[in-house]
Amino acid sequence: MCQYFSRTTGLVCYQLPVLPLDRPVPKHVLSRRGAISFSSSSSLFGAPDPRQLSQRRGAISYDSSDQTALYIRMLGDVRVRSQVGFEPEGRGSYPYLCIDFRTLHSCSESTSASSLIPGPGFISAGPVSGRRLRRLLSFQRYLHSSRLLWGTTHLNPLHILDEDYIGQAKCMLERVGSWNFDIFLFDRLTNGNSLVTMTFHLLNQYGLLELFQLDMVKLWRFLVMVQEDYHSLNPYHNAVHAADVTQAMYCYLREPKLAKSLTSCDILLGLLAAATHDLDHPGVNQPFLIKTNHYLAKLYRNSSVLENHHWRSAVGLLRETGLFSHLPAEEGLKMERQLGSLILATDISRQNEYLGKFRTHLNQDDLCLSNASHRHFILQMALKCADICNPCRPWELSKQWSEKVTQEFFHQGDIEKKHKLEVSPLCDSQRNSMGNIQIGFMTYVVEPLFAEWGRFSDTRLSQTMLGHLGLNKASWGGLVQQERPLSPDELEPSRPASVTMPTPAITESEPESASAAEPTAVTTATATGATNSKEIPQGRKES
């Protein structure tokens, strides 16, 4: 390691040893404890100009016995690896903004749907310089960053933010339990790292790192990889939405009934499920994947396709980072299954199933939160509420989410029109307006769910959410009237005819805990009268 003085920063800097990309990393490096993956959009750990790292993911592996010996390997550098003959690593699929649909009508029926998605090699390879990649880190910066390598203290749970984030973000985290929490502002203050910051803070605040003996480096790496695998080009299903759902989940976990009943394991699973519930979402819905013969639709037999993919992606990152590797194997598998059960519950096509079960429990007054299965069911309902809670936020926040989800719908509709596909319901910008979509969604999806949640948890927060829901619905009604004056009868959305959909058989992809009490039919209705697992607007997976 050579040393030099930087006139720009006035610091003593060190040039670290570099491993070439065209040969495997030595085993003694891969075997070292922990890795830190950094986002190209952040300044964590002294990352260079993001423009130089737009297609890279990195890892820093360190040996606790030699803190100054850092080995850096760039993972998944698409341009470089495609030149040297390696298949680029692609943990996440790329957004549908780059789909080449020219192959759509020329493919035979047996053609794999993967041909419709640009693979990791889709990006054209540019010229590659002969220089070996090098990363320069200031030694002082490394010392500050490596605080997280040496553990945390109970006195200062936010120490990890001191050097990387400004004071406003810390002030916002002090009020993270407020229902008026502005996740858009928080994302700007954290330089686009709202999901990592939010989730790490909440896990640390509950003391779960110490309780479950979670390796801080592995946890940080896991959270950064999760954030990276959300598609930032998606208007709605991105890491900011995941951070918003995680914050809402935290608000529900603090409700009196849950706070005094949930175990530490329940809280850990609830927060992780909220952070990963839409992991690697492609920005299109399930019918789109089916009609384009996508490989995910085949893999999961057209049943909860996106939810299964989110769960499997989360499990893949858990195993890649080894976050639960110190736990007994049976316990780790159990946590993975429970995580899947929570994520699969967010499938909107099973809304009536869960809502009916919830209503039955409340009518019979037989919910016993000392029972593990009942606690898990309440966690499922809490995650469902958190996932579609946008209409229950203050108008300024709710309207932004409505605009984003509608933009994502209409973008899919434009793609379908361009390539002569049947346009999915709610995705036709010429037949649907944002106001009508939102009014229908609030009336037939959000209100029934939050009314039952209010019965279960009759608190100030529940009343606040229902109050915001009513005001937001009235606001959208006013906007619709301004666009096109309607009579009172026309303004009130008519309930569409329900269509009974046969429930797919439970496959091996669904956890055991999620397969109990499966009904023979599920009835779902959207604001436009179409039934579909992913075409509900605002918040929930319209995939």
Side-chain angles (χ1 to χ4, degrees):
M1 179 181 296
C2 64
Q3 173 180 338
Y4 73 98
F5 180 77
S6 172
R7 295 183 179 178
T8 304
T9 62
L11 301 173
V12 176
C13 296
Y14 290 79
Q15 180 172 314
L16 304 177
V18 174
L19 295 175
L21 293 177
D22 56 352
R23 61 186 175 89
V25 179
K27 292 183 178 180
H28 73 278
V29 175
L30 294 179
S31 63
R32 299 189 172 204
R33 188 178 77 87
I36 303 168
S37 179
F38 53 84
S39 169
S40 60
S41 62
S42 72
S43 60
L44 299 179
F45 307 105
D49 187 347
R51 290 172 295 181
Q52 302 174 9
L53 295 176
S54 59
Q55 300 297 333
R56 299 173 185 167
R57 290 181 177 137
I60 300 174
S61 181
Y62 76 97
D63 187 347
S64 59
S65 63
D66 186 6
Q67 292 289 343
T68 61
L70 296 180
Y71 292 84
I72 298 176
R73 178 193 178 193
M74 300 307 298
L75 302 180
D77 189 321
V78 177
R79 292 188 177 92
V80 174
R81 292 173 66 88
S82 61
Q83 289 293 316
V84 297
F86 281 80
E87 284 295 326
E89 297 182 11
R91 271 201 316 270
S93 56
Y94 284 79
Y96 274 85
L97 300 173
C98 305
I99 298 179
D100 184 1
F101 278 88
R102 290 173 297 181
T103 61
L104 181 62
H105 301 290
S106 61
C107 294
S108 63
E109 185 131 356
S110 60
T111 302
S112 170
S114 60
S115 63
L116 301 180
I117 276 195
F122 181 81
I123 300 177
S124 59
V128 180
S129 65
R131 287 185 312 188
R132 301 165 66 190
L133 295 175
R134 288 179 171 80
R135 181 174 302 282
L136 299 178
L137 292 177
S138 115
F139 188 68
Q140 178 178 341
R141 180 68 170 174
Y142 164 65
L143 288 178
H144 286 307
S145 302
S146 61
R147 283 185 184 181
L148 66 90
L149 308 181
W150 302 332
T152 182
T153 63
H154 295 280
L155 297 178
N156 187 13
L158 291 179
H159 72 282
I160 198 167
L161 301 179
D162 291 347
E163 301 298 333
D164 295 294
Y165 304 106
I166 55 179
Q168 290 92 326
K170 290 179 58 179
C171 291
M172 289 194 69
L173 284 177
E174 293 175 359
R175 302 183 63 254
V176 70
S178 168
W179 189 247
N180 298 331
F181 191 88
D182 189 340
I183 195 64
F184 299 108
L185 174 60
F186 184 71
D187 189 65
R188 292 193 294 271
L189 293 178
T190 57
N191 193 28
N193 291 286
S194 55
L195 180 58
V196 174
T197 309
M198 173 73 67
T199 310
F200 185 91
H201 169 69
L202 295 179
L203 294 174
N204 199 22
Q205 180 169 286
Y206 274 111
L208 299 177
L209 279 73
E210 294 82 4
L211 186 61
F212 288 92
Q213 298 181 347
L214 299 178
D215 185 294
M216 190 179 298
V217 175
K218 293 180 180 179
L219 174 61
W220 190 262
R221 183 187 178 214
F222 169 76
L223 294 177
V224 172
M225 291 169 72
V226 166
Q227 181 174 271
E228 285 181 344
D229 276 3
Y230 278 96
H231 299 175
S232 61
L233 294 180
N234 288 347
Y236 182 83
H237 287 105
N238 51 42
V240 182
H241 165 64
D244 184 63
V245 173
T246 304
Q247 190 270 339
M249 188 68 169
Y250 172 67
C251 292
Y252 300 151
L253 295 179
R254 297 174 69 228
E255 291 286 76
K257 281 188 176 181
L258 276 69
K260 67 181 182 181
S261 304
L262 295 179
T263 65
S264 298
C265 185
D266 295 330
I267 295 173
L268 175 63
L269 288 172
L271 294 176
L272 290 182
T276 60
H277 79 283
D278 271 332
L279 189 60
D280 196 30
H281 196 293
V284 293
N285 58 22
Q286 177 171 293
F288 185 93
L289 299 180
I290 295 174
K291 74 175 68 172
T292 55
N293 199 31
H294 191 266
Y295 77 94
L296 288 177
K298 289 185 175 181
L299 178 63
Y300 298 116
R301 304 179 186 179
N302 299 342
S303 174
S304 299
V305 174
L306 286 172
E307 289 76 20
N308 273 296
H309 179 58
H310 304 325
W311 167 42
R312 297 298 188 182
S313 299
V315 171
L317 294 186
L318 284 173
R319 296 183 179 183
E320 182 177 344
T321 57
L323 184 59
F324 294 154
S325 60
H326 62 290
L327 300 177
E330 183 177 348
E331 187 67 21
L333 290 175
K334 179 182 177 182
M335 295 187 72
E336 289 177 359
R337 287 194 299 268
Q338 291 179 328
L339 181 68
S341 177
L342 292 174
I343 294 176
L344 288 173
T346 61
D347 185 353
I348 205 68
S349 70
R350 300 177 66 182
Q351 174 86 350
N352 283 3
E353 170 195 347
Y354 284 95
L355 187 58
K357 184 178 178 181
F358 194 30
R359 186 178 290 119
T360 299
H361 278 303
L362 294 177
N363 291 339
Q364 297 178 355
D365 194 22
D366 61 354
L367 277 175
C368 179
L369 296 185
S370 60
N371 183 304
S373 62
H374 285 193
R375 289 199 310 272
H376 186 77
F377 175 71
I378 292 301
L379 277 180
Q380 290 176 320
M381 299 307 300
L383 183 57
K384 288 178 68 65
C385 289
D387 196 20
I388 61 172
C389 72
N390 301 146
C392 301
R393 297 280 192 179
W395 171 252
E396 294 76 11
L397 300 176
S398 178
K399 186 172 184 290
Q400 291 185 68
W401 285 119
S402 300
E403 293 169 348
K404 290 177 180 296
V405 73
T406 305
Q407 180 185 353
E408 193 167 293
F409 282 169
F410 289 169
H411 179 262
Q412 176 182 324
D414 292 342
I415 293 177
E416 292 169 329
K417 290 178 183 178
K418 180 179 179 181
H419 299 284
K420 297 180 173 56
L421 298 172
E422 181 184 356
V423 180
S424 302
L426 307 184
C427 295
D428 192 339
S429 58
Q430 296 179 347
R431 297 185 178 182
N432 300 280
S433 69
M434 186 187 310
N436 285 328
I437 289 176
Q438 294 307 311
I439 291 175
F441 178 66
M442 294 178 185
T443 302
Y444 301 118
V445 179
V446 182
E447 282 182 349
L449 178 61
F450 280 86
E452 298 305 321
W453 181 262
R455 289 178 60 196
F456 166 73
S457 179
D458 187 12
T459 62
R460 182 178 179 181
L461 174 60
S462 300
Q463 299 307 315
T464 298
M465 292 189 297
L466 291 173
H468 284 313
L469 179 61
L471 292 174
N472 293 339
K473 184 178 177 181
S475 297
W476 283 116
L479 291 177
V480 169
Q481 278 190 318
Q482 291 178 9
E483 295 173 359
R484 182 174 64 89
L486 300 176
S487 66
D489 293 337
E490 291 176 319
L491 184 59
E492 182 65 25
S494 58
R495 179 174 293 278
S498 299
V499 179
T500 302
M501 301 171 57
T503 302
I506 299 298
T507 65
E508 294 180 357
S509 63
E510 189 158 343
E512 297 173 2
S513 55
S515 62
E518 185 72 24
T520 58
V522 177
T523 304
T524 58
T526 66
T528 61
T531 59
N532 199 293
S533 65
K534 291 294 182 175
E535 296 168 351
I536 301 298
Q538 186 73 44
R540 203 23 260 141
K541 303 175 185 294
E542 62 283 18
S543 31

